[in-house]
Amino acid sequence: MAASKDFAAHPRRSAAAAAVLLATLAATTPLEAATANQEILISGGTVVTSEGRFDADVRVRDGTIVEIGTGLAAGAGAREIDATGLLVMPGGVDPHVHLGGRTRDDYRTGSQAALAGGITTISNFAFPAEGRTLAQAIEREAALIREQAIADVILHAGINDPATQEGQMTTLAAETGQTSTKTFMVRTLFDAAVPDYMATMDAAGRASMLSMVHCEDGPILARAVAELTAAGRTSLEYFPDSRPVVGEVVATQRAVAMAEATGAPIYAVHVSSAGALRVLQEARERGLNVFVETRPIYLHFTRERFEGPDRGLYVGQPPLREQGDQDALWAGIANGSVHVLATDHVAYRRDEKLDPSQTISRHRAGLSNLQVVRPMLYSEGVVQGRISEERFVAVTSTNAAKLFGLYPRKGTIAVGSDADIVLWDPEETRTIRDEDMFSGAGFSVYSGWEVTGWPVMTLRRGEVVYENAEILAGPGSGELLRRGRWRAP
């Protein structure tokens, strides 16, 4: 749990943001803010969407944005929030999160980390146990969401038995309201069942569902691991060599070919290399519905991290790449060929990530990233002049909302949209600290980084759920969202 901090007393918090909070706290207590279903008027801020920025007031009523304009007057009993000097942006949408199981975050702690970082919609994967259907797997997770979630949630149906799951595509969306699947090309089963996986992708496409694909080639990776093991190079120092770029590129080529053969849309998760990105860019130039996600670790680190003693902290699949790959991904975000920045959040404690018994074939992959993904991208992207504020909103909110059937309910500031709103201080500079993290991981791999640009208040469906470094809503207040068909960003 993050330590409680006085918002106005924070040594580097901007005067504008401090004034906002002091005025807000004078008008209402945190308990009232969390429980009252009243009108809220956010005035004096700069609204930023994926399409532009403009000065405007935003009126919220019953969890929905009902009016946007200038000089709006607060209604009787309304809560007034002065957003002068702040950006008013849509809540983030992270479509690639891993919660539960052996990890240290469930829907409660994952929600807390997300909301503190300006993300209002998170996700998880529902893989069915043997003999169970995809719909049953989603209902299993839905029960946990009803009990634990604070952020809103979407689920992806995990394809682990394509021979039986193909026939479930036509009814899955109608039964569950979830319209995406996840396939791991890297798993041993994949090559033995390619026709079944293709049939499932085809069926998903015909049902207007989006197929997420982990693009790494199992045989190529297996050969690399065997060669390194024979040479006695099994420590994590050699982890990047155990999952070479060629394995990602070949799998990406195969995924594109499957999409082209079936006509189904695909979403390539955690693209890490310039080579794989190039394959996807060329596919889009041919008119294919191929969409691209990358994850923050590839933007902020390169494989040199595996030369240090704390290399276990940086293990992810695919691994960290070279500087040229990082440059290509930043360029892709700027030019729109990378559509989504998602965390692939996995929470392990520091001691678990640094377990010295780990090897290239037995390790804990994944990083905790929900709380700082947006501040890090704003600081390293917008502040450093790599991307615009509009691109920031697009890749952290709007594009994911469109691709995963949530737009325009989520992902924008517009009349009729859910009031998922983040008040963002573009000038606040803060050093990331382990003790401020809400995730059950208890630390951040970015601890010690000085970051400019932070959320100061988060609203989820019109309720102030994060303010003054505190989570104000309880478990079970989040919703499993029913979704429509995908749409291109």
Side-chain angles (χ1 to χ4, degrees):
M1 178 70 68
S4 175
K5 296 186 291 295
D6 185 336
F7 184 107
H10 194 288
R12 281 188 288 271
R13 194 176 298 277
S14 75
V20 169
L21 183 80
L22 291 173
T24 301
L25 291 180
T28 183
T29 67
L31 179 60
E32 290 170 336
T35 58
N37 187 13
Q38 61 180 4
E39 178 180 305
I40 296 176
L41 181 65
I42 302 169
S43 60
T46 299
V47 174
V48 182
T49 71
S50 64
E51 298 178 345
R53 66 196 310 275
F54 52 92
D55 294 336
D57 307 329
V58 179
R59 191 188 310 278
V60 173
R61 190 179 296 128
D62 298 328
T64 302
I65 297 171
V66 296
E67 188 176 9
I68 300 172
T70 57
L72 300 184
R79 178 179 181 179
E80 298 184 64
I81 300 174
D82 180 2
T84 302
L86 302 180
L87 305 178
V88 181
M89 299 193 291
V93 178
D94 191 335
H96 195 162
V97 179
H98 297 273
L99 301 170
R102 298 178 181 178
T103 72
R104 299 296 172 177
D105 276 334
D106 58 13
Y107 290 102
R108 179 184 66 84
T109 56
S111 291
Q112 290 174 335
L115 295 170
I119 295 171
T120 50
T121 301
I122 58 175
S123 57
N124 203 9
F125 298 89
F127 282 88
E130 185 175 356
R132 298 287 183 173
T133 67
L134 294 171
Q136 287 172 322
I138 286 174
E139 179 49 42
R140 178 196 69 218
E141 295 301 316
L144 295 174
I145 291 166
R146 289 190 291 269
E147 176 186 340
Q148 301 172 358
I150 309 172
D152 287 343
V153 185
I154 62 174
L155 293 171
H156 312 296
I159 305 301
N160 54 5
D161 185 9
T164 64
Q165 291 167 342
E166 173 196 352
Q168 299 174 36
M169 295 298 104
T170 55
T171 59
L172 182 63
E175 290 180 4
T176 69
Q178 304 307 304
T179 54
S180 50
T181 67
K182 175 69 177 291
T183 293
F184 287 87
M185 296 179 71
V186 71
R187 292 183 175 173
T188 304
L189 171 65
F190 181 81
D191 280 291
V194 168
D196 292 330
Y197 275 105
M198 283 191 66
T200 302
M201 181 183 291
D202 182 29
R206 287 186 280 106
S208 298
M209 299 178 71
L210 183 63
S211 295
M212 306 171 75
V213 188
H214 176 138
C215 297
E216 287 187 287
D217 187 82
I220 289 177
L221 270 58
R223 178 180 174 84
V225 168
E227 290 178 343
L228 289 166
T229 301
R233 298 177 177 178
T234 59
S235 77
L236 291 184
E237 179 182 356
Y238 302 101
F239 181 71
D241 301 313
S242 73
R243 305 180 84 96
V245 168
V246 65
E248 183 181 19
V249 171
V250 167
T252 304
Q253 291 169 332
R254 295 179 71 189
V256 167
M258 292 169 67
E260 192 160 15
T262 61
I266 65 168
Y267 175 95
V269 299
H270 51 49
V271 174
S272 70
S273 65
L277 178 58
R278 205 157 38 240
V279 170
L280 296 160
Q281 289 169 331
E282 291 170 354
R284 288 189 56 77
E285 290 169 1
R286 298 202 308 276
L288 299 183
N289 287 314
V290 171
F291 306 102
V292 184
E293 170 199 289
T294 193
R295 61 196 292 220
I297 61 169
Y298 306 131
L299 301 180
H300 306 307
F301 301 119
T302 56
R303 69 165 290 160
E304 283 74 21
R305 294 283 169 168
F306 284 91
E307 298 172 4
D310 60 350
R311 57 181 67 94
L313 298 179
Y314 305 99
V315 173
Q317 299 174 352
L320 299 178
R321 305 298 193 189
E322 306 289 350
Q323 185 62 53
D325 299 298
Q326 185 179 97
D327 294 342
L329 293 171
W330 272 113
I333 289 177
N335 65 32
S337 60
V338 172
H339 301 98
V340 174
L341 180 68
T343 57
D344 194 7
H345 175 93
V346 181
Y348 291 111
R349 296 191 313 263
R350 181 186 293 272
D351 63 300
E352 292 173 319
K353 290 289 289 180
L354 293 177
D355 180 353
S357 70
Q358 295 180 98
T359 67
I360 57 174
S361 56
R362 188 177 59 81
H363 48 263
R364 294 186 178 92
L367 289 80
S368 171
N369 225 151
L370 277 168
Q371 190 166 336
V372 297
V373 56
R374 294 190 95 188
M376 286 289 295
L377 182 67
Y378 192 91
S379 189
E380 296 297 307
V382 178
V383 175
Q384 295 299 321
R386 288 182 168 118
I387 62 172
S388 66
E389 289 173 343
E390 291 85 350
R391 287 299 302 155
F392 171 85
V393 171
V395 298
T396 62
S397 180
T398 310
N399 290 351
K402 290 179 177 180
L403 285 164
F404 291 93
L406 297 170
Y407 188 86
R409 179 181 178 186
K410 308 288 188 181
T412 192
I413 304 291
V415 172
S417 297
D418 281 2
D420 289 2
I421 298 172
V422 179
L423 301 189
W424 192 277
D425 186 347
E427 298 181 357
E428 180 186 352
T429 298
R430 192 192 308 174
T431 299
I432 295 175
R433 306 187 306 169
D434 291 347
E435 55 264 40
D436 295 332
M437 296 297 105
F438 283 90
S439 167
F443 81 102
S444 171
V445 74
Y446 305 103
S447 187
W449 286 53
E450 189 173 82
V451 172
T452 298
W454 289 88
V456 297
M457 182 184 292
T458 303
L459 288 78
R460 182 223 58 213
R461 284 181 280 108
E463 180 180 353
V464 177
V465 290
Y466 171 78
E467 180 182 20
N468 197 23
E470 298 289 344
I471 302 297
L472 302 179
S477 59
E479 294 182 359
L480 175 60
L481 303 170
R482 293 190 67 87
R483 298 144 58 195
R485 62 157 291 160
W486 66 275
R487 60 184 289 183

